[in-house]
Amino acid sequence: MADQKAVAARLAPLGFAQAPTQAHLNLPPAALVSHALRRGEGTLTDTGALMADTGQFTGRSPKDRFVVRDENTADSVWWGDINLAFDPAKFAQLHQKMVAYLAGKEVFVRDAYAGANPDYQLKLRVVNELAWHNLFCYNMFLRPETGADTSWTPDFSIICAPGFEADPAVDGTRQKNFAIIDFTRKLILIGGTGYAGEMKKGIFGVLNYLLPHERATLPMHCSANVGASGDTAIFFGLSGTGKTTLSTDPNRGLIGDDEHGWTPDAGIFNFEGGCYAKVIDLSRAKEPEIWDAIRFGAIVENTRFVPGTHTVDFANKSITENTRTAYPISFIANAIEPSVAGAPTHIFFLTADAFGVLPPISKLDKCHAMYHFMSGYTAKVAGTEMGITEPQTTFSACFGQVFLPLHPTRYAEMLGQKMDENPEINVWLINTGWTGGSYGTGHRMKLGHTRAMITAALSGVLTEVHFKQHPIFGVAVPGAVPGVPTEILDPRNTWANKAAYDQTAAELAEKFVKNFEKYADFASADILAGAPKMAVEA
């Protein structure tokens, strides 16, 4: 049991008049695993990882994510469907009810960091009802050095109690589960849900507000790696675009797989101390780094065993397709620690264009980079969800719209400023989707070809080739890429019916423009200049 004076000193500022009698402070992974097993929170797999379920909620609940609206946030937060306003008095009431609920419980307290660059990091304090949630925080946040004094005043705290359910009629929530950020109290309340990712993304949302607002630093929902010569690359992309696969390169060091900041003067840094990877249909052949990281200390969520064994059946979707693993970044052999690097020289926007319209690789100038960054486009295909019978567009501003407390134009303008300040930066749009026609007619881009294009961009050989402008989207398309058939570089050439390509391209361009209408009044002339042309002269 932890020193109760130390625990009380940490919990008193969080509203605990008296620390719970069963309070554990900064336990190591082995102890947390032991407590989780004792409490029936999980089971060990045959690799030593802890398998745990998140309960009713197997993913984030965006409609139950709130931000307290007060004098500090009223004029700065991008209010609407993404950032739902919450009353300060209701937050205070809910806070007290949660503290009272936890007073008689066994709790797990952790001190941690967010941000690998010490000049830009947040000191965190987390109070968990569940032992495995505290292990998740150990894995996902940055860990203080052994013996370090962590009796600090935190910059932000989290109280997470899945067993505590709100009363919507009294507490002001939509339903019994909630995740609420209060930027004035510097506190996140999470209740009624066992999905651990709410804690990780809660702090990401905090950094997406504080870093641009107070530190002139661009937060990014991206993966990042670095070459032997120190050249940094970052990869943006929504689910299904290949972000994890394409940023995982045995010849390059992994900086991080999901969340980074780009400072005014010191390059980029990982927000996290671990990885939270999807594992549906995981295999050692496809993703050996992730496979080998699922060992003692790691967590697997909502997975199931092969019957009669303790071997994880990664193909099992009976609970959810959003099965995941969480492990420290040190479990990846080529991870860079501390997770910092210089400013990127290459930025990749990944899209799985199921319409088969966008080039497999194209280079973006500043205007097109800001426009496509704000658009955050990919497409879902038939068979992925009920009711989808043809490709459907998906737009998520800055490739992470649900995590943006500020208006998307703020982040896009910061990206444009970074490009002005770093003229050596190359921004690429990579289509990992369809070629030779739309989904159902064409076929998926070969992974080997996509890897060859990214390698060519990183190596600098594309500086020697001729580019031509796409007539509708205005992006620059290379005439040749080593290891890639020339005929696939111009998507129109891959279609048997050229008129059908022209019509489909115009339709996709219209979808881009339609999506952007909600931002147009706030966007600068530079951003608007990156829009596609709605019609092309014959």
Side-chain angles (χ1 to χ4, degrees):
M1 198 66 63
D3 178 352
Q4 290 305 296
K5 287 185 178 180
V7 175
R10 284 164 167 80
L11 293 184
L14 298 183
F16 289 83
Q18 185 175 352
T21 54
Q22 287 185 295
H24 307 276
L25 178 62
N26 294 327
L27 293 183
L32 288 169
V33 170
S34 178
H35 281 295
L37 295 175
R38 171 183 62 81
R39 290 158 52 95
E41 296 177 7
T43 308
L44 288 183
T45 74
D46 59 5
T47 67
L50 179 68
M51 179 188 288
D53 283 358
T54 64
Q56 176 185 351
F57 297 94
T58 57
R60 292 179 303 100
S61 184
K63 293 182 179 179
D64 299 295
R65 173 192 177 275
F66 303 91
V67 177
V68 172
R69 181 167 185 156
D70 57 22
E71 61 182 10
N72 292 323
T73 58
D75 297 327
S76 55
V77 168
W78 176 37
W79 301 108
D81 294 339
I82 301 301
N83 298 293
L84 303 170
F86 202 80
D87 179 74
K90 291 292 187 182
F91 183 92
Q93 173 182 292
L94 200 56
H95 178 205
Q96 289 305 308
K97 291 173 69 172
M98 290 188 73
V99 167
Y101 167 82
L102 289 172
K105 302 284 184 181
E106 183 177 22
V107 300
F108 301 84
V109 183
R110 178 152 306 281
D111 302 316
Y113 297 109
N117 184 324
D119 295 330
Y120 293 87
Q121 66 189 188
L122 291 182
K123 297 181 179 70
L124 305 178
R125 182 153 294 135
V126 187
V127 181
N128 293 117
E129 181 180 10
L130 299 179
W132 83 263
H133 271 191
N134 205 247
L135 177 61
F136 178 90
C137 292
Y138 175 90
N139 288 348
M140 294 309 305
F141 297 130
L142 287 154
R143 298 157 287 278
E145 293 184 7
T146 302
D149 180 9
T150 61
S151 58
W152 54 53
T153 298
D155 298 309
F156 236 90
S157 300
I158 302 172
I159 299 176
C160 180
F164 175 84
E165 297 180 348
D167 180 347
V170 174
D171 298 319
T173 58
R174 186 180 72 97
Q175 50 185 24
K176 63 184 182 181
N177 63 299
F178 55 89
I180 313 170
I181 303 174
D182 188 326
F183 284 103
T184 300
R185 291 182 176 87
K186 300 179 179 180
L187 178 63
I188 301 174
L189 300 180
I190 301 171
T193 172
Y195 184 65
E198 292 282 13
M199 294 182 287
K200 160 190 159 69
K201 290 307 185 184
I203 293 300
F204 186 47
V206 168
L207 289 166
N208 271 293
Y209 179 84
L210 296 179
L211 290 178
H213 204 53
E214 299 178 359
R215 304 300 305 276
T217 292
L218 174 62
M220 303 176 294
H221 189 212
C222 68
S223 58
N225 63 30
V226 61
S229 64
D231 59 305
T232 304
I234 56 179
F235 298 78
F236 292 90
L238 302 176
S239 180
T241 60
K243 181 178 70 170
T244 300
T245 300
L246 293 170
S247 63
T248 302
D249 186 335
N251 298 313
R252 297 175 65 83
L254 177 68
I255 303 166
D257 76 333
D258 199 37
E259 303 173 4
H260 296 83
W262 188 349
T263 75
D265 54 3
I268 72 166
F269 64 96
N270 189 357
F271 290 166
E272 302 183 297
C275 301
Y276 192 38
K278 289 185 177 181
V279 294
I280 195 69
D281 293 324
L282 179 72
S283 70
R284 172 171 266 153
K286 289 192 298 184
E287 296 180 279
E289 293 85 4
I290 296 175
W291 181 277
D292 291 338
I294 302 176
R295 57 184 192 261
F296 185 81
I299 299 166
V300 283
E301 289 181 358
N302 299 316
T303 54
R304 288 295 178 264
F305 293 131
V306 174
T309 76
H310 276 222
T311 300
V312 179
D313 179 4
F314 289 110
N316 190 315
K317 306 175 184 178
S318 60
I319 303 301
T320 178
E321 291 199 10
N322 190 35
T323 53
R324 289 184 176 267
T325 180
Y327 50 83
I329 196 169
S330 59
F331 282 19
I332 299 294
N334 66 332
I336 301 297
E337 292 189 272
S339 302
V340 297
T345 52
H346 294 277
I347 299 173
F348 296 95
F349 297 157
L350 307 177
T351 178
D353 176 27
F355 296 94
V357 164
L358 294 176
I361 182 171
S362 53
K363 191 174 182 181
L364 311 184
D365 60 19
K366 173 185 169 183
C367 296
H368 288 93
M370 289 191 291
Y371 186 90
H372 280 272
F373 185 55
M374 278 195 63
S375 296
Y377 163 71
T378 193
K380 297 177 181 178
V381 298
T384 58
E385 292 184 10
M386 292 290 290
I388 295 181
T389 57
E390 60 183 24
Q392 291 192 0
T393 53
T394 298
F395 294 99
S396 180
C398 308
F399 298 94
Q401 177 173 294
V402 293
F403 312 121
L404 305 183
L406 306 178
H407 194 278
T409 52
R410 180 72 177 274
Y411 306 96
E413 287 166 358
M414 291 185 75
L415 176 64
Q417 182 181 354
K418 295 292 187 185
M419 294 181 69
D420 286 338
E421 295 169 349
N422 301 270
E424 72 280 5
I425 291 174
N426 296 286
V427 182
W428 307 91
L429 180 64
I430 304 291
N431 176 17
T432 63
W434 270 253
T435 183
S438 297
Y439 175 83
T441 301
H443 57 86
R444 192 82 188 254
M445 201 74 62
K446 291 182 178 179
L447 178 59
H449 290 160
T450 301
R451 287 193 184 279
M453 295 177 211
I454 290 176
T455 298
L458 291 170
S459 69
V461 300
L462 295 186
T463 60
E464 307 297 326
V465 307
H466 173 71
F467 286 77
K468 67 177 182 180
Q469 189 179 52
H470 191 279
I472 294 179
F473 287 91
V475 297
V477 182
V481 176
V484 179
T486 302
E487 59 269 18
I488 74 168
L489 297 176
D490 182 343
R492 190 174 189 269
N493 290 341
T494 69
W495 284 53
N497 186 332
K498 311 303 184 194
Y501 172 84
D502 294 339
Q503 179 180 344
T504 306
E507 290 172 353
L508 181 59
E510 185 176 358
K511 293 177 186 292
F512 268 85
V513 172
K514 182 68 175 176
N515 169 71
F516 213 86
E517 287 178 355
K518 58 182 175 287
Y519 307 131
D521 290 344
F522 301 92
S524 66
D526 278 349
I527 296 175
L528 294 172
K533 297 179 181 178
M534 296 292 290
V536 179
E537 294 182 5

